[in-house]
Amino acid sequence: IGAYTGDTVQEFTKNFGNENSIYAFEPDLKNYNKMLLRLQENGIKCICHNAAAWNNNEIIKFYSNSGRAGSAEKSLTTEKYREKLCCR
């Protein structure tokens, strides 16, 4: 689950304030940039990562669809598919 364009982060800050440490992960670059703009325009503090969250420390393939339908694949064998370093 990615942060998309920051809409959930924005809703969180409306309900709980902006004093908490918020971390957002969005692997799709287009959505990530939209999120940065939204958060900046609304004065929201957030630690943003252009990466995917995953259950292991490994490289996965991310298929971008510039929207809510991106997907990831674990089984990789060649260096050319190493696109996003995933975080724990």
Side-chain angles (χ1 to χ4, degrees):
I1 299 175
Y4 190 48
T5 61
D7 53 337
T8 304
V9 173
Q10 188 173 15
E11 284 299 313
F12 182 87
T13 60
K14 283 181 186 176
N15 292 312
F16 300 103
N18 199 17
E19 289 74 40
N20 299 298
S21 294
I22 302 171
Y23 294 82
F25 296 85
E26 176 51 56
D28 184 282
L29 185 59
K30 186 175 180 178
N31 291 336
Y32 175 78
N33 287 329
K34 287 180 181 180
M35 175 179 61
L36 293 179
L37 182 61
R38 175 193 291 245
L39 299 179
Q40 181 182 25
E41 287 176 345
N42 289 283
I44 297 172
K45 296 180 290 182
C46 183
I47 301 162
C48 302
H49 298 276
N50 181 216
W54 191 249
N55 64 346
N56 290 309
N57 188 14
E58 62 188 344
I59 304 296
I60 62 171
K61 172 75 174 171
F62 177 75
Y63 297 94
S64 173
N65 195 17
S66 294
R68 293 184 186 257
S71 62
E73 176 182 300
K74 182 179 176 183
S75 57
L76 302 176
T77 56
T78 64
E79 187 69 28
K80 81 175 197 175
Y81 293 112
R82 299 175 136 216
E83 291 186 0
K84 297 284 182 193
L85 177 62
C86 297
C87 306
R88 268 201 241 185

